[in-house]
Amino acid sequence: MKHLVDPQQAAYLPIEDHGIIGDLHTVALVGVDGTVDWCCLPRFDAPSVFGSLLDAERGGSFSVRVRDVERTKQMYLPDSNVLLTRFLAQEAVAELYDFMVPDHPSCTSSTARQIVRQVRVVRGRATVDVDCRPAFDYGRAPHTVHMREGVGAVFTSGAGTLVLRSSAPLRAEGDAVGTTVVLEPGQTLELAVEWGGEARPIDTAEASGLLDDTLRYWDGWLRRSTYRGRYRETVERSALILKLLVYQPSGALVAAPTTSLPESLGGARNWDYRYTWVRDAAFTLYALMRLGFTEEAAAFVDWLHARCIEVPPGTGLQVLYGIDGRPALPETVLDHLAGYCGSRPVRIGNAAGEQLQLDIHGELMDSVYLFNKYGEPISYELWEALSRQLEWLEKHWEEPDDGIWEMRGSRRRFTYSALMTWVAFERAMRIARHRGMPAPVERWRDAAASAYRYVQEQCYSPELGAYVQYPDSTTLDASLLVMPLVKFAGPADPRFLSTVRRLEDLLVSDSLVHRYQDDGTDGFADREGTFNLCSFWYVEALARAGRVGEARYIFEKMTTHANHLGLYAEEIGAAGEALGNFPQAFTHLALISAATNLDRAMGSHRGPAAPRCGRQ
């Protein structure tokens, strides 16, 4: 891995040097050095309590470190989201187990939002330093510390209370709490930080019981997976990560559990992804149902159902919502935070919720179609709500919008938005035929035909031999790789194949794919990395087009761009570093889709691999 060496960046671990743990309400990022440097409590979109990922001095952290360590390694315990960090020294080896107990009836030993940390010494004598310094409300709310002898410490602020429980005596250090413990082989140190809990002892027996409950839950959950393909370990890790990104009370999936991790160091493309995008719906439903996780798929459909019913008459759905369904997500800047490696601004909230992105109706209808076909029949109430959305779309689909990439420049009539308009009406007609639902089928057929002709007649450039980002442009856009995935074009359609070749000329670098040509019209001057989602779309497009050997080669190359635990951020930088919020759900959803379709294509393919990876 590439490690940052600039003095301003030295205080920050590379984004990819993290694992995550979670309890289905929130997650914590744990660095390879044993530091929790990001955690929002008690849920994903709450203010951070540990946020040194966004400001090394003011953000707050919870570190467990072993002295004289020469290197560290991380892994997940098999079939789980329990993270193990190993501290390796000449004279000692210590292991740190980090986990959060899932919110599930089977985990009867705990109902609190807490991070449990247990240090075990495997060999030699280890000196362990603990430092817990929360920073409530993104570091804006001061707090006091109250020590509880033999139990732990209580941090109290206007934003909430955090309890640190410890099996070893603690000492106050200003507004932080720490301890130093020397452990012999077989000895352990137990720690737990709990949101709003009570100060009480913790010992080896309790921590081990919580660990057993957590391991049992994840093993039982993963056993429901029906995937038996070639990439089982990679796919199942992606599934485990996606499950961590589900907010259990509502069934919503956050796009990522972090905010403001930059798409380019020092740039302004720093967004808050701790919310739920309607666009993710189809990909979420497809990935979960392909793996057999119908319960999670049904919960997400219920969340979508509620959003459709809540929409005021005569208006369209928002692009994104809070995990509890709230529509208001005002975007503000936290000027007091330095940003990751000095990348500012640090944002909370997301103004994209106020944008017009017409494509979301296509993804919505595709997800409902998939669930109705492979999950459960949808209700009449949901159908009526969807019909109202389609009526709105009929009136507005020809308007310029902000597009799938949430441009903050001028609105345009994006090709992808028209493509997904066709998907919306085409899937609605399929559901109506299959279920006999009442529907204005003739109107929908006309709308679908108009959108189809618009894409074919206005958005294809014979001169370039490719579909372009919007009419009369010369800009290529990787979102159009989904054409065969959504059945708009056959995988061997001449126009689509020609588009793929042009994308390979201009957007593909090795196995990596840029979203679009950076022509300065997206509202930002800084460049970004390649987009992992698009790379997996590229794999799937190649597999469907019969270029199976190349698809396999690129897919397996893409797996080397995951971090040491199999996690992906949103983008990859020029030196292979992770960029953007981490881990990103969309990337892991696309990986699952690419893997399952590549499996299917390889089942009938007998040709050799052809490492081409674009026209370099």
Side-chain angles (χ1 to χ4, degrees):
M1 291 184 185
K2 174 180 170 61
H3 287 264
L4 306 174
V5 295
D6 185 281
Q8 186 180 18
Q9 301 170 1
Y12 299 86
L13 283 175
I15 293 170
E16 63 267 24
D17 279 7
H18 291 86
I20 67 166
I21 56 175
D23 61 4
L24 309 183
H25 283 245
T26 189
V27 305
L29 268 64
V30 184
V32 293
D33 63 355
T35 299
V36 175
D37 55 14
W38 182 256
C39 184
C40 298
L41 290 170
R43 58 188 228 178
F44 290 107
D45 56 357
S48 64
V49 176
F50 301 119
S52 59
L53 192 64
L54 296 181
D55 192 310
E57 295 184 3
R58 292 181 290 271
S61 62
F62 181 17
S63 67
V64 175
R65 301 193 180 188
V66 178
R67 294 184 188 177
D68 303 320
V69 166
E70 296 184 357
R71 55 181 176 154
T72 62
K73 292 188 175 183
Q74 279 185 325
M75 61 174 281
Y76 282 110
L77 297 193
D79 299 339
S80 82
N81 281 314
V82 174
L83 184 64
L84 172 62
T85 303
R86 305 184 70 223
F87 299 90
L88 307 174
Q90 287 287 346
E91 303 298 329
V93 174
E95 297 181 337
L96 170 62
Y97 293 77
D98 280 310
F99 61 95
M100 299 177 76
V101 184
D103 175 20
H104 191 267
S106 66
C107 299
T108 57
S109 58
S110 175
T111 58
R113 309 276 72 79
Q114 64 176 329
I115 302 169
V116 182
R117 319 193 75 182
Q118 185 180 57
V119 183
R120 304 178 185 178
V121 175
V122 177
R123 174 173 62 82
R125 174 185 292 177
T127 301
V128 182
D129 293 313
V130 176
D131 182 75
C132 183
R133 49 183 68 245
F136 293 87
D137 190 21
Y138 306 107
R140 295 180 296 191
H143 65 266
T144 58
V145 180
H146 301 278
M147 304 302 295
R148 299 287 188 267
E149 186 175 352
V151 175
V154 179
F155 303 89
T156 304
S157 79
T161 300
L162 191 73
V163 175
L164 171 60
R165 304 163 60 208
S166 173
S167 62
L170 299 172
R171 63 180 181 272
E173 300 173 345
D175 60 359
V177 170
T179 190
T180 298
V181 180
V182 178
L183 298 177
E184 302 285 349
Q187 293 184 327
T188 63
L189 168 66
E190 286 74 35
L191 301 159
V193 287
E194 183 174 320
W195 181 257
E198 297 179 358
R200 62 191 191 281
I202 185 171
D203 56 21
T204 303
E206 181 186 354
S208 296
L210 294 172
L211 176 59
D212 288 343
D213 273 1
T214 302
L215 288 170
R216 191 178 304 111
Y217 169 80
W218 288 116
D219 179 72
W221 182 81
L222 194 59
R223 285 177 183 272
R224 291 164 44 201
S225 172
T226 58
Y227 181 79
R228 299 294 182 268
R230 294 169 175 83
Y231 304 107
R232 184 169 178 175
E233 184 174 351
T234 298
V235 167
E236 290 186 345
R237 177 50 55 195
S238 288
L240 284 162
I241 295 304
L242 289 173
K243 180 63 173 175
L244 280 182
L245 302 184
V246 171
Y247 180 59
Q248 183 80 1
S250 69
L253 180 85
V254 296
T258 57
T259 179
S260 299
L261 292 182
E263 296 175 18
S264 61
L265 288 184
R269 300 175 191 260
N270 312 324
W271 314 115
D272 192 348
Y273 275 16
R274 298 171 299 157
Y275 310 113
T276 301
W277 269 250
V278 171
R279 179 178 297 109
D280 293 8
F283 302 96
T284 301
L285 268 293
Y286 181 83
L288 291 174
M289 289 191 295
R290 285 300 299 264
L291 301 184
F293 296 113
T294 54
E295 181 180 322
E296 286 75 14
F300 196 25
V301 167
D302 287 344
W303 183 89
L304 289 169
H305 184 177
R307 305 293 78 73
C308 292
I309 291 173
E310 291 167 358
V311 176
T315 61
L317 281 167
Q318 282 191 186
V319 176
L320 64 139
Y321 293 86
I323 52 179
D324 55 3
R326 73 187 189 282
L329 303 169
E331 182 174 301
T332 59
V333 172
L334 301 179
D335 289 321
H336 68 287
L337 294 180
Y340 174 79
C341 293
S343 299
R344 304 178 75 180
V346 173
R347 294 183 173 94
I348 56 173
N350 200 311
E354 302 170 4
Q355 288 189 343
L356 177 64
Q357 298 176 24
L358 294 165
D359 65 279
I360 65 171
H361 298 85
E363 284 105 357
L364 171 66
M365 290 306 304
D366 197 30
S367 67
V368 172
Y369 164 74
L370 290 169
F371 187 73
N372 183 76
K373 182 176 181 179
Y374 298 109
E376 303 171 5
I378 64 171
S379 68
Y380 174 72
E381 184 183 32
L382 175 56
W383 178 249
E384 286 293 289
L386 293 170
S387 297
R388 290 193 295 272
Q389 285 300 299
L390 292 171
E391 182 179 357
W392 180 91
L393 185 61
E394 282 183 82
K395 299 173 182 176
H396 297 277
W397 78 269
E398 295 179 282
E399 298 175 7
D401 73 340
D402 299 294
I404 179 176
W405 304 130
E406 302 185 344
M407 302 290 194
R408 298 205 175 189
S410 301
R411 286 185 172 179
R412 303 183 184 278
R413 290 199 63 193
F414 288 103
T415 305
Y416 183 82
S417 296
L419 164 66
M420 296 311 292
T421 294
W422 173 84
V423 171
F425 290 110
E426 198 276 341
R427 299 304 191 266
M429 289 188 290
R430 288 194 190 197
I431 297 172
R433 286 196 303 269
H434 177 69
R435 293 285 308 282
M437 294 286 202
V441 175
E442 290 299 324
R443 282 190 7 234
W444 289 355
R445 183 178 293 113
D446 290 343
S450 295
Y452 189 93
R453 290 193 185 98
Y454 176 78
V455 173
Q456 296 289 17
E457 296 172 5
Q458 303 296 320
C459 303
Y460 183 80
S461 168
E463 294 76 20
L464 283 176
Y467 294 100
V468 290
Q469 191 176 59
Y470 52 90
D472 300 321
S473 76
T474 58
T475 302
L476 299 184
D477 191 319
S479 66
L480 302 180
L481 286 167
V482 306
M483 283 184 166
L485 281 61
V486 298
K487 313 299 183 186
F488 179 87
D493 180 272
R495 285 188 168 192
F496 176 71
L497 294 180
S498 178
T499 299
V500 171
R501 288 192 291 270
R502 293 297 290 151
L503 290 171
E504 289 172 333
D505 288 338
L506 297 172
L507 298 185
V508 179
S509 174
D510 195 22
S511 60
L512 306 174
V513 182
H514 288 275
R515 290 191 293 179
Y516 48 83
Q517 292 166 282
D518 187 0
D519 58 4
T521 62
D522 62 2
F524 293 92
D526 52 290
R527 297 182 63 84
E528 61 178 2
T530 55
F531 215 69
N532 291 322
L533 166 68
C534 298
S535 295
F536 286 115
W537 279 349
Y538 179 45
V539 168
E540 191 164 347
L542 291 182
R544 290 174 182 266
R547 293 166 59 180
V548 181
E550 291 174 77
R552 180 181 182 182
Y553 178 74
I554 295 167
F555 181 87
E556 296 187 6
K557 235 181 169 182
M558 276 300 299
T559 64
T560 70
H561 290 290
N563 80 344
H564 58 292
L565 297 168
L567 281 62
Y568 292 87
E570 186 173 34
E571 300 182 8
I572 294 172
E577 73 275 20
L579 293 172
N581 285 306
F582 174 87
Q584 199 213 28
F586 225 159
T587 299
H588 287 278
L589 292 166
L591 182 155
I592 291 170
S593 181
T596 54
N597 283 287
L598 182 56
D599 273 327
R600 183 166 53 191
M602 289 171 62
S604 57
H605 178 70
R606 293 294 180 269
R612 178 177 172 184
C613 297
R615 300 164 180 264
Q616 301 172 50

